[in-house]
Amino acid sequence: MKRILLCLLTALSAASLQLSAENASLESVCNGLMEHPVTTGEFTQLKKSAAINRQLRSSGNFLISTEGVIWDTKKPFSSSMVVTRTALIQTAPDGSKTVLDGSKNQTFANVAGTLSSLFSGDKKSLENNFSVDFLSNASSWKMQLVPKDKTIAMTLSAVMLNGRCTSEGGTILDSMTITEQNGDCVSYTFRNQEYKDVLSDAEKSYFAQK
C-alpha cells in the first residue's frame, strides 16, 4: 500500500508538468493543466534514505497524458512504471509485467480521483485534498502540497514543486521533492520537455494491462 500511495502521489505531482501559465499563480497553474494533452521529457530521480544515509540515483524518460503517467527508467537498468486512474503497471528489466488493480481500492480511487481533478484543472478539488502553499515572483514559483487525507498523510509528509516563468509567459517545472513521514525523500529534476496532442502507438502500448 505504501508503494502504491507513493507512486500515485508521484504521478499526482508530476501532473503539474503540464503547465502553461502567465505570471504564475495557483489559479493560472491549474488553468493551464490541459494546455498540452501530452508532455514528454527526461528525468533524474534521487532517493534518499534517512535510516541508512544512502542515496540511489536513476534516470530515464517520462510521459504525462490524460491516460496516465509513464516513468520509463533507462539507468541503472531498464524498467517502467505506468500509473492510470485504476491501475499501477510495472515492467521489469526482463520484460515481465505486473499489474496492480486499484479499481476496487478506495484509497487508490481517492488519490486517482484527485489526479483526475488535476488534469482537468480543478483548483477547488486540489485545495480540498491538500493544504496548498504557493509562492511566486516574476521569474520563479514554488508549491507545497500537504495531504489532508489521513491515510496518505501517514505515509507522505509533503510534496514540493519548484519551477520558473519563461519570457514568453509560460511556466516550466524544474524539480519535485516528495518527503515521507519517516524522513525518506524522493527528488526529481526535469529537462527537455516537449508537448504534443496525441500519443503514438508505442506510447499507447505502455498503458495496455496485458
Side-chain angles (χ1 to χ4, degrees):
M1 177 58 69
K2 176 180 177 181
R3 180 170 179 78
I4 291 175
L5 288 174
L6 184 58
C7 291
L8 279 170
L9 263 293
T10 299
L12 172 66
S13 303
S16 295
L17 282 163
Q18 297 190 21
L19 303 178
S20 179
E22 53 278 5
N23 192 4
S25 67
L26 178 59
E27 183 173 3
S28 66
V29 164
C30 291
N31 288 341
L33 288 174
M34 289 299 292
E35 181 73 15
H36 305 291
V38 181
T39 301
T40 63
E42 301 172 7
F43 75 89
T44 298
Q45 179 195 72
L46 184 63
K47 294 183 178 181
K48 298 181 181 180
S49 172
I52 60 177
N53 192 28
R54 184 182 180 187
Q55 297 185 2
L56 299 174
R57 185 182 298 272
S58 60
S59 60
N61 303 317
F62 70 84
L63 179 147
I64 299 170
S65 73
T66 53
E67 294 293 321
V69 179
I70 300 172
W71 299 100
D72 186 17
T73 302
K74 300 299 184 182
K75 295 180 180 180
F77 50 80
S78 296
S79 64
S80 69
M81 180 180 69
V82 179
V83 184
T84 73
R85 292 180 177 83
T86 59
L88 178 67
I89 307 167
Q90 294 178 293
T91 303
D94 63 2
S96 60
K97 183 178 292 187
T98 301
V99 179
L100 300 178
D101 183 3
S103 60
K104 297 181 181 179
N105 183 292
Q106 189 59 49
T107 300
F108 192 108
N110 289 345
V111 180
T114 306
L115 172 60
S116 177
S117 70
L118 268 178
F119 279 121
S120 64
D122 190 342
K123 175 175 173 285
K124 181 179 180 180
S125 180
L126 177 65
E127 293 177 319
N128 285 343
N129 288 279
F130 295 91
S131 295
V132 182
D133 186 8
F134 187 90
L135 297 173
S136 69
N137 55 38
S139 60
S140 64
W141 60 268
K142 64 174 56 179
M143 184 193 307
Q144 179 174 268
L145 306 176
V146 177
K148 294 180 179 180
D149 184 282
K150 293 182 179 179
T151 302
I152 300 172
M154 289 176 62
T155 302
L156 299 178
S157 174
V159 178
M160 178 66 75
L161 309 172
N162 290 278
R164 54 195 160 91
C165 307
T166 69
S167 58
E168 295 79 15
T171 305
I172 298 174
L173 177 67
D174 292 316
S175 65
M176 173 178 72
T177 300
I178 300 173
T179 304
E180 300 180 44
Q181 289 291 358
N182 62 5
D184 292 355
C185 67
V186 183
S187 298
Y188 294 85
T189 55
F190 304 102
R191 59 191 181 277
N192 297 331
Q193 290 95 326
E194 295 182 355
Y195 310 102
K196 57 183 182 179
D197 294 330
V198 297
L199 294 170
S200 67
D201 290 340
E203 291 164 346
K204 290 178 182 178
S205 68
Y206 278 90
F207 295 100
Q209 297 187 22
K210 295 184 180 180

